[in-house]
Amino acid sequence: MKYVELGRTGLQCAQVSFGGIPIQRSDAANALAVVDALEEHGINYMDSARGYTVSEGYLGAALKGRRDKFILATKSMVRDYEGMKRDVETSLKNFQTDYIDVYQFHNLPLTAFDQVFGPDGAYRALVEARQEGKIGHIGASFHGLDALKKAVEEYSDKIETVMFPFNIVEDQGLEVLKMAKDRGMGTIAMKPMAGGNLQDWALALKYIFASGVIDIAIPGMGSPEEVARNAAAAGAFGPLTPEELERCAAIRKELGTTFCRRCGYCAPCTVGIDIPSAFLFRNYYEHYEGLKDWAAQRYAAMAHKAGECVECGLCEGRCPYELPIREMLKGVKGAFGE
Ligand code: SF4
Ligand code: SF4
């Protein structure tokens, strides 16, 4: 495993590190097995979130007696001072520690900057927590390119790490992430497998690091086998060969017309279908053996199923990627039977 410094934080992190979303779909025993595997393979950076339900707590219990072997990162959706103070304490309690290495604003949108960095904003709470030695560094995750750009252009003195989707089919952040790296910010790739759309793990990870703009990637890992698979892929990074570039282009071509970016612009559906979730669950159901049952359960719990689509077409007019949503929903119905 190669270790790299995360921006200017001084933290030496495994290039392929751990995303904690899948932990919320498992149990404490599996979380322990996953953390054992992380330690065994030298994956030392662990990312979670207040919003990932039981993830912080399961990881905290699994870290007992070995906290010092890991770099801990988590994040909060809270935007105000008091709320962020509370969330830091909750995270510390969940992780059963007195120190979190990186605390991040979770999915910071353009509209939240004024509040977060204002006098009663969450940023002041994180600065105080850093002064008190409760956290080490302040970061942020983004889904919107405009928000990432603002953070890099105007807040690189305050935000030390940025996290953004980056993968074979989502490289819209390339230029801004390069700028972030040039300014000494740590760059973290989330959704390296494009939310379950990419099946070639090794190529997906290699592509990310061949870009030169990413310090670490944090694929979600829900089992010791997935940890081993990611760790194995980490040994083969380098420039992409002409054959690999061709495969990336073929993947882009294949997913180009049918790949949901989960931007949500298609909402509201006339009959209330949560369109991006329906696509996401189908991807997990068909491509991730370990998540098949989970995906089926989550789909079963959806209030409105793909089969309820009345084909009004309104969603397709709103989709910036011109996806054939009605046809794609038929595929979801085919997979789940409703
Ligand atoms: S076409 Fe189907 S999915 Fe799209 S808005 Fe209409 S009912 Fe909803
Ligand atoms: S607008 Fe298109 S890409 Fe965005 S969530 Fe809806 S279907 Fe997916």
Side-chain angles (χ1 to χ4, degrees):
M1 180 63 70
K2 184 177 167 191
Y3 295 85
V4 295
E5 183 174 352
L6 183 58
R8 57 175 181 260
T9 63
L11 299 169
Q12 295 295 324
C13 307
Q15 214 174 15
V16 177
S17 275
F18 169 77
I21 287 184
I23 288 298
Q24 64 184 328
R25 300 163 202 149
S26 73
D27 54 33
N30 183 60
L32 185 61
V34 168
V35 175
D36 284 347
L38 293 174
E39 187 180 351
E40 182 192 331
H41 291 284
I43 295 178
N44 67 344
Y45 186 95
M46 195 178 263
D47 183 78
S48 186
R50 294 286 313 105
Y52 300 165
T53 61
V54 294
S55 172
E56 284 185 341
Y58 282 173
L59 292 172
L63 283 169
K64 235 178 188 157
R66 52 179 161 179
R67 161 71 186 91
D68 58 335
K69 293 201 166 73
F70 290 92
I71 295 164
L72 269 188
T74 195
K75 41 197 173 316
S76 163
M77 292 288 286
V78 161
R79 310 297 186 213
D80 67 292
Y81 172 82
E82 289 297 338
M84 187 56 100
K85 270 190 106 68
R86 275 196 302 275
D87 260 9
V88 170
E89 294 303 326
T90 305
S91 295
L92 289 168
K93 200 167 150 220
N94 287 344
F95 279 128
Q96 303 183 35
T97 185
D98 57 4
Y99 180 76
I100 291 166
D101 296 271
V102 183
Y103 213 97
Q104 302 153 108
F105 305 113
H106 194 166
N107 188 12
L108 191 59
L110 205 54
T111 50
F113 276 75
D114 285 349
Q115 184 189 5
V116 164
F117 293 96
D120 290 319
Y123 178 68
R124 184 160 69 89
L126 289 189
V127 170
E128 285 179 13
R130 191 170 55 189
Q131 285 163 350
E132 293 162 2
K134 293 177 177 175
I135 67 167
H137 305 278
I138 297 172
S141 72
F142 308 86
H143 287 272
L145 185 59
D146 48 2
L148 173 71
K149 195 158 182 274
K150 186 176 178 71
V152 173
E153 287 180 344
E154 299 174 32
Y155 292 86
S156 63
D157 58 332
K158 296 183 172 65
I159 297 174
E160 298 169 78
T161 67
V162 291
M163 185 188 293
F164 194 71
F166 191 82
N167 56 59
I168 293 171
V169 290
E170 291 179 288
D171 65 352
Q172 66 276 20
L174 188 74
E175 289 306 315
V176 184
L177 288 165
K178 183 174 183 316
M179 200 192 309
K181 215 166 154 48
D182 290 346
R183 293 184 179 197
M185 301 168 98
T187 51
I188 304 169
M190 65 167 152
K191 308 204 186 308
M193 305 300 154
N197 283 286
L198 304 175
Q199 277 80 60
D200 187 338
W201 287 47
L203 180 63
L205 289 170
K206 190 173 180 184
Y207 171 87
I208 289 170
F209 295 110
S211 74
V213 301
I214 296 296
D215 290 333
I216 65 171
I218 52 162
M221 303 184 209
S223 68
E225 292 73 30
E226 287 179 1
V227 174
R229 185 163 50 170
N230 281 316
F237 295 152
L240 293 167
T241 65
E243 190 262 334
E244 287 168 335
L245 285 167
E246 262 177 42
R247 272 161 57 204
C248 290
I251 290 169
R252 272 187 221 106
K253 201 170 166 202
E254 184 196 332
L255 292 177
T257 54
T258 57
F259 167 50
C260 172
R261 277 85 168 168
R262 302 178 306 284
C263 63
Y265 293 136
C266 50
C269 161
T270 304
V271 297
I273 302 166
D274 178 347
I275 295 167
S277 292
F279 295 151
L280 182 71
F281 296 146
R282 181 192 177 187
N283 280 335
Y284 279 127
Y285 183 76
E286 293 188 334
H287 301 308
Y288 287 81
E289 204 45 51
L291 294 174
K292 210 174 174 70
D293 291 346
W294 172 84
Q297 284 162 14
R298 289 295 298 267
Y299 185 77
M302 281 178 61
H304 297 281
K305 307 295 194 295
E308 293 173 48
C309 172
V310 294
E311 303 205 27
C312 67
L314 291 176
C315 55
E316 291 180 13
R318 294 189 286 254
C319 176
Y321 306 100
E322 298 178 3
L323 296 187
I325 295 174
R326 288 172 284 189
E327 278 310 303
M328 289 167 70
L329 284 175
K330 285 177 190 162
V332 176
K333 185 186 171 191
F336 292 112
E338 57 179 332

